[in-house]
Amino acid sequence: MERLTSVSFCLHSNQETLNNFIYFKYLFQFLITVGIFFSSALLFSQNLKYKEYDSILLNTPKEMGKKNIPREKIILWNEQMLEKMEKENYARGIIWAHINMANQYWNLGNGEESIKNLNIAESLLHKNENEIDFFTIAKLYQEYSQACYMMNLYDTGLKYNSKGGYYGNKIEDKDRKGKFLSYVYITRANLLYEKKDLDSALYYLKQSSLLYESLSTTSQIANHYIEYQPSQSFAKTYLDQGMDIINRNKQDNSYQISVFYYYYAQYFFKEKKYENAIVYLNKALEYNKKLKTIGHTKNIYKLLISCYKNAGNLEKEKEYLEYYIKLKDSLENSQAKGAELSIKTIEKEKTEENKALKKTIFIYSGIVVFFCIVLLAYLYYQNNRKSKVIIETKEIISRKEDETKVLERRISGVHEELIQLAKNNDIGFLEKFHEVYPNVHQKLLKINPDLTRDSLIFCALIGLGFSSKDIAEFTFMQHRSVQIKKSRLRKKLNLGSDVDLYQFLKSLIDD
């Protein structure tokens, strides 16, 4: 009886222990579920807050500009946002605050402060690359390009512009991508004008116009026919389109309207209608008054001086000449400081690139040395074996030496440099191609002396083996446009349908 009671007690105790275990198991699962729920809610809330910050930093400066709020106040607002983003430890928000301030500073003619802010933003970008979207990266390099343009550093500006376009093509939102690339192409056109490459500049302006209709693009094309390839009738057509955009209330950007009126004044100046030109220049000044875009203001003053001189108003000519000289001196001083800082930045980049190259060479050299040591050890070990093994070993050594030479050529060779220039759509690509393959240019022009620079670049890209998809990506063209361009090139080179275009151009290079 006692044994039965004891067994019953043990069973009861075990059942109680099991019940406690099940209770704590479900309690633990419940706590884990609650923890996951609150963690998810917290993460969702944080992401929502960050998206709100992104929207504020992207849109508020634009709205402030539309309301003609002075750039100094826009900078102050961004400084306050920067302080807030730093407290939140939100990297993308900090980057955007610096980008926004850089934009305002170069518009004010202060290249030094613009470059400083962009350097800080780029440094932070490299530390948080996995968290930063392509639009932010593209915007950063585009602002670098604009700042360099303001400081007359056109080659450097083109380099940064290519980077902006490269990352801009990776933006997923089609509408944002179109608007951004339109902006990139306008900047590239301005830089190409300074390099005297008029055809390429006009090409990029028209590409911009295809992507997104804006007063800025229309104004620039009008200016092309006023200043670079004079045709008053063409210029008037585009000026009328610009006026139509304004009248349809599709444009509320004061700066773009100011630039448009400046170009309209240039049109009247060419027509020798100086009074009409003065009216439009005063409109341009009015729209630019609060924005204080220094470079643009200087251009308006310069044209006003010429207008008043030709109109015979010496008093007004003298007045604006004084304004112009004062503003010019201020701008040149700022450009000099900004250029100095930009050069230091470029030198720093070059130093880092050289360090990276040396590191790469060191690594590859180490690999080569390692294989050589292994190979020598193998040869020593096999030294007393049959002659057939020795011959095979020598062949292995010869192959390894050939591979080493090929590897060294790839590291430091000009061919890789040429490929990289092509991928970056670098303006110096064609000159480097001529340097590496001097006879190709002569052979092509012998076939067709009317080949343009653009056609020669296209021939070079095909000759180097780039596919239509690659060429479209590097040159910011549509794939179908590349195919059409190939067809036209075949006609220019008088190639029959049985001739492979790639093999033909490759044979010119190989010869």
Side-chain angles (χ1 to χ4, degrees), residues 354-367:
N354 290 335
K355 284 181 181 178
L357 180 61
K358 287 178 181 177
K359 186 178 178 180
T360 304
I361 294 171
F362 178 78
I363 291 170
Y364 279 114
S365 299
I367 292 170

Side-chain angles (χ1 to χ4, degrees), residues 5-179:
T5 305
S6 177
V7 169
S8 176
F9 176 77
C10 288
L11 288 172
H12 177 75
S13 177
N14 287 340
Q15 182 64 42
E16 187 176 347
T17 302
L18 182 62
N19 289 339
N20 286 338
F21 174 77
I22 293 171
Y23 170 76
F24 283 112
K25 176 185 173 183
Y26 282 116
L27 179 62
F28 179 74
Q29 289 177 344
F30 173 74
L31 291 173
I32 289 292
T33 304
V34 170
I36 292 171
F37 173 77
F38 279 109
S39 297
S40 300
L42 185 64
L43 185 62
F44 176 77
S45 175
Q46 188 181 52
N47 288 336
L48 198 65
K49 180 173 65 174
Y50 285 165
K51 283 184 179 180
E52 186 179 351
Y53 286 153
D54 290 343
S55 177
I56 290 169
L57 283 162
L58 181 62
N59 297 313
T60 303
K62 292 180 183 177
E63 294 302 320
M64 293 172 81
K66 289 175 182 178
K67 294 175 182 176
N68 294 327
I69 293 172
R71 296 191 185 278
E72 291 85 355
K73 289 189 176 181
I74 300 176
I75 290 171
L76 183 62
W77 179 85
N78 276 286
E79 286 175 346
Q80 292 168 351
M81 286 300 297
L82 175 62
E83 188 177 341
K84 187 173 184 178
M85 295 301 99
E86 287 174 339
K87 286 180 180 178
E88 295 277 352
N89 196 29
Y90 181 40
R92 185 161 58 188
I94 297 170
I95 290 171
W96 267 102
H98 282 295
I99 289 174
N100 288 342
M101 287 191 286
N103 176 277
Q104 298 304 321
Y105 275 123
W106 70 251
N107 271 292
L108 286 169
N110 192 339
E112 183 180 13
E113 285 300 321
S114 182
I115 294 296
K116 279 182 182 178
N117 277 278
L118 291 172
N119 285 348
I120 294 169
E122 187 176 25
S123 175
L124 194 58
L125 168 66
H126 292 319
K127 293 176 184 176
N128 301 272
E129 283 186 87
N130 295 330
E131 302 173 23
I132 309 303
D133 61 295
F134 289 125
F135 177 56
T136 302
I137 301 172
K139 179 65 174 173
L140 171 66
Y141 289 122
Q142 172 60 13
E143 289 303 322
Y144 260 126
S145 177
Q146 288 280 28
C148 289
Y149 173 72
M150 188 278 297
M151 293 183 294
N152 303 329
L153 300 172
Y154 306 124
D155 288 329
T156 307
L158 283 166
K159 171 190 163 187
Y160 282 119
N161 181 263
S162 293
K163 279 189 174 183
Y166 172 78
Y167 287 106
N169 268 299
K170 293 177 178 288
I171 297 171
E172 293 182 1
D173 187 296
K174 289 185 178 180
D175 185 52
R176 173 174 283 180
K177 177 180 177 179
K179 288 180 181 179

Side-chain angles (χ1 to χ4, degrees), residues 25 61 103 146 161 164 202 245 437 455 460 470:
K25 176 185 173 183
N103 176 277
Q146 288 280 28
N161 181 263
L202 182 60
I245 292 172
Y437 304 108
S455 296
D470 290 335

